[in-house]
Amino acid sequence: MRVLFWGTPLFAVPSLRALTEEGHDVVGVVTQPDRPAGRGRRLTPSPVKEVALEDGLHVMTPDPPRGEDFLAGIRALEPDASVVVAYGHILRREVLDVPRLGSFNVHASLLPALRGAAPVNWAIIRGHETSGVTVMRMVEAMDAGPILLQEEEPIGATQTATELASRLSEVGAVALVEALALLSVGAVAERDQDEARATYAPKVDRDTARIDWSASAREVADLVRGMDETPGAWSVLDGSPVKLFAPRPETGASPSSADGPEAGDVGGGATGPAPGTVVSRDPSRGIAVAAGSGVVWFGEVQPPGRRRMLAGDWLHGRGVEEGRRFV
């Protein structure tokens, strides 16, 4: 099958590789233009562009993907299908209609749940126990097209968004190849989505990632796991932002060893420390912070201007003392 591939981040790379390994003719790759990255803010190609160039594929970086010249260019490639995996732009009808068989998307949720830009993050933040991928036919409405194939994937109790996205990228690549195989022989049964069951997963940003310590320990931990690794959940300590990672929630129990606060005195109760208060520190475990109910241990931190590190290493340096409060 002649495939026009659209994708930008690392999540899309397994799907691109799966297409070429399966013998599909990838006639072109559309990806976002090079962007400034790193401390030096050097122009850096997307992960998809790097892989496409290594494989000698034809790469296009329109900004935005529209206009008569661009349309003429992709029509000239004569694709049978377009495959879109986390490309980063909404495609117009005239673009979706170019391929003979249509345009298809690999989306990291079990649609109609979690339509939108950040389904992996919100699946974890909202405490879902399962996630998955959907291969769907694209329409002009966001993530609303008929479903070709779905694969479910469990979410581990400590799994982060980074880890789940990596796993779903591989699951999605396998599902994509299977869906195209069924499509090519006319054996796929497309089904419409149930609009009444639709939920949404908006883009996450720095504001989304700020920790609300009045939430329960489980909710705080889910937010931190859902924001890992980008943008990273954060809170302010002594006037400076600190990112927190590797959470382990504890509810209804003492947050530390025998020298810590007693059970019932943790987590912002009537007589307990205020939410956000550091209630224990242990170089082998990290730091424990009171939530609205329960406490959360954090095994990794990223202080201002420094790299992500073990919380124990931070404690050996500047660290933080018990009784200090994140806000």
Side-chain angles (χ1 to χ4, degrees):
M1 186 181 295
R2 294 174 61 82
V3 177
L4 178 61
F5 185 84
W6 307 65
T8 298
L10 191 61
F11 182 87
V13 169
S15 289
L16 175 58
R17 286 184 167 145
L19 290 172
T20 57
E21 290 169 1
E22 195 66 18
H24 291 286
D25 182 8
V26 180
V27 295
V29 173
V30 187
T31 189
Q32 294 276 347
D34 297 0
R35 305 293 189 196
R39 291 182 180 272
R41 307 303 293 165
R42 292 184 178 181
L43 284 178
T44 303
S46 73
V48 163
K49 181 178 178 180
E50 289 183 334
V51 170
L53 291 177
E54 288 173 4
D55 291 348
L57 301 175
H58 174 55
V59 175
M60 293 165 282
T61 57
D63 192 16
R66 62 188 65 150
E68 286 305 317
D69 289 344
F70 175 69
L71 279 171
I74 61 174
R75 286 184 184 125
L77 299 174
E78 299 182 342
D80 295 315
S82 274
V83 168
V84 182
V85 186
Y87 169 55
H89 267 297
I90 295 175
L91 302 185
R92 294 182 172 181
R93 169 55 59 190
E94 60 264 27
V95 174
L96 297 177
D97 288 345
V98 167
R100 176 177 62 86
L101 297 175
S103 296
F104 305 91
N105 176 240
V106 178
H107 185 76
S109 81
L110 298 174
L111 292 171
L114 299 175
R115 294 175 177 175
V120 175
N121 306 87
W122 287 106
I124 293 177
I125 294 168
R126 293 174 184 166
H128 293 193
E129 295 182 353
T130 59
S131 181
V133 294
T134 301
V135 182
M136 66 171 181
R137 181 180 294 276
M138 297 180 71
V139 297
E140 286 188 281
M142 182 180 65
D143 300 328
I147 294 169
L148 279 69
L149 190 68
Q150 289 187 312
E151 294 291 342
E152 187 173 300
E153 185 72 11
I155 300 176
T158 62
Q159 196 168 38
T160 67
T162 305
E163 294 164 343
L164 180 58
S166 178
R167 175 60 185 149
L168 291 182
S169 70
E170 300 291 343
V171 173
V174 174
L176 170 63
V177 167
E178 182 179 351
L180 291 183
L182 293 171
L183 184 71
S184 67
V185 296
V188 66
E190 300 183 23
R191 57 185 174 88
D192 291 336
Q193 296 186 39
D194 182 354
E195 291 296 323
R197 295 176 52 241
T199 61
Y200 296 90
K203 184 177 180 180
V204 297
D205 56 21
R206 182 171 169 78
D207 289 339
T208 313
R210 185 165 189 171
I211 298 171
D212 175 8
W213 295 106
S214 68
S216 70
R218 170 57 62 188
E219 290 169 332
V220 169
D222 288 348
L223 174 74
V224 173
R225 291 189 301 120
M227 293 294 104
D228 182 299
E229 156 176 318
T230 301
W234 63 281
S235 190
V236 174
L237 179 70
D238 298 333
S240 298
V242 177
K243 290 186 178 182
L244 299 165
F245 304 94
R248 300 183 305 281
E250 292 185 356
T251 57
S254 173
S256 64
S257 56
D259 61 344
E262 295 297 326
D265 287 343
V266 300
T271 60
T277 301
V278 177
V279 295
S280 188
R281 40 174 280 157
D282 182 336
S284 66
R285 299 183 68 188
I287 60 172
V289 184
S293 60
V295 300
V296 185
W297 282 91
F298 296 97
E300 298 177 29
V301 300
Q302 186 176 357
R306 302 178 68 181
R307 295 185 177 182
R308 180 170 171 171
M309 65 179 70
L310 292 175
D313 292 340
W314 188 46
L315 293 177
H316 285 306
R318 173 183 179 276
V320 60
E321 299 298 325
E322 292 179 18
R324 304 306 288 267
R325 188 180 179 196
F326 288 93
V327 295

Short mmCIF file of all heavy atoms in Angstrom, two decimals, residues 100-127:
data_model
loop_
_atom_site.label_atom_id
_atom_site.label_comp_id
_atom_site.label_asym_id
_atom_site.label_seq_id
_atom_site.Cartn_x
_atom_site.Cartn_y
_atom_site.Cartn_z
N ARG A 100 -6.73 7.65 -1.80
CA ARG A 100 -7.80 6.87 -2.42
C ARG A 100 -8.67 6.17 -1.38
O ARG A 100 -9.90 6.14 -1.50
CB ARG A 100 -7.17 5.82 -3.36
CG ARG A 100 -8.14 4.87 -4.01
CD ARG A 100 -7.42 3.93 -4.97
NE ARG A 100 -6.43 3.10 -4.28
CZ ARG A 100 -6.71 1.94 -3.68
NH1 ARG A 100 -7.96 1.47 -3.69
NH2 ARG A 100 -5.76 1.22 -3.11
N LEU A 101 -8.04 5.63 -0.32
CA LEU A 101 -8.79 4.88 0.69
C LEU A 101 -9.17 5.73 1.90
O LEU A 101 -9.93 5.28 2.77
CB LEU A 101 -7.97 3.67 1.16
CG LEU A 101 -7.66 2.62 0.10
CD1 LEU A 101 -6.74 1.55 0.66
CD2 LEU A 101 -8.96 1.99 -0.41
N GLY A 102 -8.63 6.94 2.00
CA GLY A 102 -8.94 7.81 3.12
C GLY A 102 -7.76 8.02 4.04
O GLY A 102 -6.63 7.59 3.77
N SER A 103 -8.03 8.71 5.15
CA SER A 103 -6.99 9.04 6.13
C SER A 103 -7.34 8.40 7.47
O SER A 103 -8.50 8.41 7.89
CB SER A 103 -6.90 10.57 6.28
OG SER A 103 -6.48 11.17 5.07
N PHE A 104 -6.30 7.89 8.15
CA PHE A 104 -6.51 7.11 9.37
C PHE A 104 -5.57 7.60 10.47
O PHE A 104 -4.45 8.03 10.20
CB PHE A 104 -6.31 5.63 9.08
CG PHE A 104 -7.16 5.14 7.95
CD1 PHE A 104 -6.69 5.15 6.65
CD2 PHE A 104 -8.47 4.73 8.19
CE1 PHE A 104 -7.49 4.75 5.59
CE2 PHE A 104 -9.27 4.32 7.15
CZ PHE A 104 -8.80 4.33 5.83
N ASN A 105 -6.05 7.50 11.70
CA ASN A 105 -5.31 8.02 12.84
C ASN A 105 -5.10 6.94 13.89
O ASN A 105 -6.00 6.12 14.13
CB ASN A 105 -6.08 9.20 13.46
CG ASN A 105 -5.43 9.74 14.72
OD1 ASN A 105 -6.03 9.74 15.78
ND2 ASN A 105 -4.21 10.22 14.60
N VAL A 106 -3.92 6.92 14.50
CA VAL A 106 -3.65 6.08 15.66
C VAL A 106 -3.74 6.98 16.89
O VAL A 106 -2.90 7.88 17.07
CB VAL A 106 -2.27 5.42 15.57
CG1 VAL A 106 -2.00 4.58 16.83
CG2 VAL A 106 -2.17 4.54 14.33
N HIS A 107 -4.74 6.76 17.72
CA HIS A 107 -5.00 7.62 18.88
C HIS A 107 -4.79 6.82 20.17
O HIS A 107 -5.24 5.68 20.28
CB HIS A 107 -6.43 8.16 18.83
CG HIS A 107 -6.74 9.13 19.93
ND1 HIS A 107 -6.30 10.44 19.91
CD2 HIS A 107 -7.46 8.99 21.08
CE1 HIS A 107 -6.73 11.06 21.00
NE2 HIS A 107 -7.43 10.19 21.72
N ALA A 108 -4.14 7.44 21.14
CA ALA A 108 -3.74 6.73 22.36
C ALA A 108 -4.83 6.73 23.44
O ALA A 108 -4.61 7.15 24.58
CB ALA A 108 -2.45 7.33 22.91
N SER A 109 -6.00 6.25 23.08
CA SER A 109 -7.06 6.00 24.06
C SER A 109 -8.07 5.07 23.43
O SER A 109 -8.02 4.79 22.22
CB SER A 109 -7.75 7.31 24.49
OG SER A 109 -8.72 7.73 23.54
N LEU A 110 -8.98 4.59 24.26
CA LEU A 110 -10.08 3.76 23.76
C LEU A 110 -11.26 4.69 23.47
O LEU A 110 -12.12 4.92 24.30
CB LEU A 110 -10.46 2.70 24.80
CG LEU A 110 -9.35 1.69 25.14
CD1 LEU A 110 -9.80 0.78 26.28
CD2 LEU A 110 -8.94 0.88 23.92
N LEU A 111 -11.25 5.25 22.27
CA LEU A 111 -12.30 6.19 21.90
C LEU A 111 -13.68 5.54 22.02
O LEU A 111 -13.81 4.33 21.83
CB LEU A 111 -12.06 6.67 20.47
CG LEU A 111 -10.83 7.55 20.27
CD1 LEU A 111 -10.57 7.78 18.78
CD2 LEU A 111 -10.98 8.88 21.00
N PRO A 112 -14.70 6.35 22.40
CA PRO A 112 -14.72 7.82 22.43
C PRO A 112 -14.16 8.45 23.71
O PRO A 112 -14.28 9.66 23.88
CB PRO A 112 -16.20 8.14 22.26
CG PRO A 112 -16.89 6.99 22.93
CD PRO A 112 -16.06 5.78 22.59
N ALA A 113 -13.58 7.66 24.59
CA ALA A 113 -12.98 8.24 25.79
C ALA A 113 -11.70 8.99 25.44
O ALA A 113 -10.91 8.54 24.60
CB ALA A 113 -12.66 7.14 26.81
N LEU A 114 -11.52 10.13 26.07
CA LEU A 114 -10.27 10.89 26.00
C LEU A 114 -9.90 11.32 24.58
O LEU A 114 -8.80 11.07 24.09
CB LEU A 114 -9.13 10.10 26.65
CG LEU A 114 -9.34 9.78 28.14
CD1 LEU A 114 -8.22 8.90 28.66
CD2 LEU A 114 -9.44 11.05 28.96
N ARG A 115 -10.84 11.98 23.93
CA ARG A 115 -10.51 12.65 22.68
C ARG A 115 -9.64 13.87 22.98
O ARG A 115 -9.83 14.54 23.99
CB ARG A 115 -11.78 13.12 21.98
CG ARG A 115 -12.70 12.01 21.51
CD ARG A 115 -13.99 12.59 20.94
NE ARG A 115 -14.89 11.57 20.40
CZ ARG A 115 -16.10 11.81 19.94
NH1 ARG A 115 -16.57 13.05 19.95
NH2 ARG A 115 -16.85 10.82 19.48
N GLY A 116 -8.70 14.17 22.11
CA GLY A 116 -7.92 15.38 22.31
C GLY A 116 -6.43 15.14 22.34
O GLY A 116 -5.92 14.07 22.00
N ALA A 117 -5.71 16.17 22.81
CA ALA A 117 -4.26 16.23 22.65
C ALA A 117 -3.47 15.40 23.64
O ALA A 117 -2.33 15.01 23.36
CB ALA A 117 -3.80 17.69 22.74
N ALA A 118 -4.02 15.10 24.82
CA ALA A 118 -3.21 14.48 25.87
C ALA A 118 -3.92 13.30 26.53
O ALA A 118 -4.09 13.27 27.75
CB ALA A 118 -2.83 15.53 26.92
N PRO A 119 -4.32 12.29 25.76
CA PRO A 119 -5.07 11.18 26.35
C PRO A 119 -4.27 10.34 27.33
O PRO A 119 -4.82 9.83 28.31
CB PRO A 119 -5.48 10.35 25.13
CG PRO A 119 -4.47 10.69 24.08
CD PRO A 119 -4.16 12.14 24.31
N VAL A 120 -2.98 10.19 27.10
CA VAL A 120 -2.15 9.39 28.01
C VAL A 120 -2.06 10.07 29.37
O VAL A 120 -2.24 9.44 30.42
CB VAL A 120 -0.75 9.17 27.41
CG1 VAL A 120 0.14 8.45 28.41
CG2 VAL A 120 -0.85 8.36 26.11
N ASN A 121 -1.80 11.36 29.37
CA ASN A 121 -1.69 12.11 30.63
C ASN A 121 -2.98 12.03 31.44
O ASN A 121 -2.96 11.71 32.63
CB ASN A 121 -1.37 13.58 30.35
CG ASN A 121 -0.14 13.76 29.49
OD1 ASN A 121 -0.25 13.74 28.27
ND2 ASN A 121 1.01 13.93 30.10
N TRP A 122 -4.11 12.30 30.78
CA TRP A 122 -5.37 12.38 31.51
C TRP A 122 -5.88 11.01 31.94
O TRP A 122 -6.58 10.91 32.96
CB TRP A 122 -6.41 13.12 30.68
CG TRP A 122 -6.13 14.59 30.62
CD1 TRP A 122 -5.64 15.29 29.55
CD2 TRP A 122 -6.28 15.53 31.69
NE1 TRP A 122 -5.48 16.61 29.88
CE2 TRP A 122 -5.87 16.79 31.18
CE3 TRP A 122 -6.73 15.44 32.99
CZ2 TRP A 122 -5.90 17.94 31.96
CZ3 TRP A 122 -6.75 16.59 33.77
CH2 TRP A 122 -6.34 17.83 33.25
N ALA A 123 -5.53 9.96 31.24
CA ALA A 123 -5.91 8.62 31.69
C ALA A 123 -5.34 8.34 33.07
O ALA A 123 -6.00 7.77 33.95
CB ALA A 123 -5.44 7.57 30.69
N ILE A 124 -4.09 8.75 33.29
CA ILE A 124 -3.44 8.53 34.58
C ILE A 124 -3.94 9.54 35.61
O ILE A 124 -4.26 9.18 36.75
CB ILE A 124 -1.92 8.60 34.42
CG1 ILE A 124 -1.44 7.42 33.58
CG2 ILE A 124 -1.23 8.61 35.78
CD1 ILE A 124 0.04 7.41 33.29
N ILE A 125 -4.04 10.81 35.23
CA ILE A 125 -4.48 11.84 36.17
C ILE A 125 -5.87 11.51 36.72
O ILE A 125 -6.15 11.71 37.91
CB ILE A 125 -4.50 13.22 35.50
CG1 ILE A 125 -3.07 13.66 35.14
CG2 ILE A 125 -5.14 14.27 36.41
CD1 ILE A 125 -3.03 14.87 34.22
N ARG A 126 -6.74 10.99 35.87
CA ARG A 126 -8.12 10.69 36.29
C ARG A 126 -8.28 9.30 36.92
O ARG A 126 -9.39 8.87 37.21
CB ARG A 126 -9.05 10.85 35.08
CG ARG A 126 -9.14 12.30 34.62
CD ARG A 126 -9.94 12.45 33.34
NE ARG A 126 -9.93 13.83 32.88
CZ ARG A 126 -10.30 14.24 31.67
NH1 ARG A 126 -10.75 13.35 30.79
NH2 ARG A 126 -10.25 15.52 31.33
N GLY A 127 -7.17 8.62 37.12
CA GLY A 127 -7.22 7.36 37.84
C GLY A 127 -7.75 6.18 37.06
O GLY A 127 -8.20 5.20 37.65
#
